[in-house]
Amino acid sequence: MRVRRYGLFLAVLFAALVSTAQLGAQSVPVTLVKAGRLLDPRTGNVLAPATVLIEGDKIKQVGLSSQIGVPAGAKIIDLGSATLLPGLIDSHTHLLLNIVMPAEAERARHLNGSFVPAQLLAIAESPSKRVLMGAQLAREDLESGITTVRNLGHSGIDGDTELRDAINIGRVPGPRILAAGRKLIAQGSYLQNLNPALSDAILRQEFLLLDGPDSARQAVRQNVFHNVDVIKVTAEESLTVPELAAAIEEAHRNHLKVAVHAVSKNSIQTAIDAGADSIEHGNEVTDQQLKQMRDKGIFFDFTPTIYGDFWTRMTEATVVMSPALRDRWAKLDVSDTQTYDSLVQHVLKSGVKFAAGSDMGWYFPGKTLGQTSVSRFPVLHQAGMTSLDVLRAITRNAAEMLGWQDRIGTIEAGKFADLVAVTGDPATDITELERVRFVMKNGEVVKNDFAAH
Ligand SMILES: [Zn+2]
């Protein structure tokens, strides 16, 4: 009796599976996206008018509208005269950090300036609260056209890996995330003024502390255990080449790339000598170092976070401060911007491979994280980069730096259907990036302001 029932159960289960499979085969959605123009940032070529045929989450065919037929049952999304671009990639961000600039008195109390109080607050607060904030910031990024991010630390132990997985299975909306887990840092860098009796326990919520090559390998393995996609190391003066080289060797053994935060000339040299895959920030890089980076194929990742009047505008809105300090910030904005102009020129001239990230992690009043982040890309044009190079830095180049050039970064058959559209022509007005009106990720429409009329 029991055997017969079991057999019946199997037969019903089999029938259910077969019908589900048939249903699945029939229900792969087919979508045609039509637009007046499609701009390929790699070449500057424009298809006009353009059609992108999408099956499920992948691009099936791209071409002139006259060349692509309409398959039966296809859903048509007509974006009128808009310009289509690949989904944007922010290759350096912090979705679980949202720093509010502290008041002047609070800043003065800390040796390490404005970053420290907010950083400590982030580590000390509830991880649940923090990851829910991360979910909000992830959605804000996606709504501004950022369909992929590389999240390089400041996420607690597993905040960014869990957020990535939640997005991937559809619990919350957000960009695809390459998660770095905890940042590897040498003891002594980053945070000061902590209660020494508690400092190790506090820091280990956010960082993996390195002390020698063996601990560097161990730190990478701990991040691998948490299923990270990339390793982030902060190189400051105290980090040695053998320590960084050991971390990189262990990461490469696990097929992970290593992004190294390096700002000063010495730390940039450490990153080059140890064989980093990308150097983040790189502000004090020399021409000789750029040549070494080019020869070794190391990416330069621009982070023009505070370019232009960023501090002036942010502090006006959030911080009570004296006229004297306000004036100092304004002067800093001018001198920082001039320095950055020079950096951009030197990097472009060197022929080194480059990408760009917002390095956002600041609360900017009145703007979403996505709006603040995309506002950082047109400033590279102000610094002397062509509009096409800016677009490359946050599409095809970034995809290569992430090792995902076979999946994202261009509008091509076989890649994920990650598309954005703007009204004007970003090749002549790069600030169009701040006005993305259509976003598709994985073949699903996230936002379409063109549908209103
Ligand atoms: Zn950063």
Side-chain angles (χ1 to χ4, degrees), residues 257-336:
K257 289 184 183 289
V258 180
V260 178
H261 159 117
V263 175
S264 71
K265 186 184 163 194
N266 283 346
S267 59
I268 291 168
Q269 197 59 50
T270 303
I272 294 170
D273 293 345
D277 294 298
S278 67
I279 290 180
E280 309 299 310
H281 320 301
N283 295 46
E284 294 179 15
V285 74
T286 66
D287 287 337
Q288 177 62 26
Q289 289 177 326
L290 284 167
K291 187 176 174 306
Q292 292 173 340
M293 288 176 69
R294 190 192 59 200
D295 294 345
K296 286 190 160 190
I298 299 172
F299 264 93
F300 188 99
D301 199 20
F302 286 106
T303 54
T305 318
I306 56 168
Y307 190 93
D309 57 0
F310 188 80
W311 288 133
T312 307
R313 288 172 57 200
M314 182 193 267
T315 53
E316 267 168 13
T318 54
V319 192
V320 177
M321 62 167 75
S322 64
L325 183 60
R326 194 169 294 290
D327 192 48
R328 276 222 305 282
W329 278 104
K331 288 199 172 90
L332 198 63
D333 268 344
V334 173
S335 64
D336 280 354

Side-chain angles (χ1 to χ4, degrees), residues 92 94 152 183 232 281 359:
H92 186 138
H94 303 285
L152 292 179
K183 250 182 198 180
K232 168 77 178 292
H281 320 301
D359 197 12

Side-chain angles (χ1 to χ4, degrees), residues 178-200:
L178 276 87
R182 276 179 285 178
K183 250 182 198 180
L184 278 57
I185 63 168
Q187 190 100 38
S189 58
Y190 260 100
L191 296 179
Q192 295 98 24
N193 305 332
L194 287 174
N195 179 340
L198 305 172
S199 60
D200 259 24

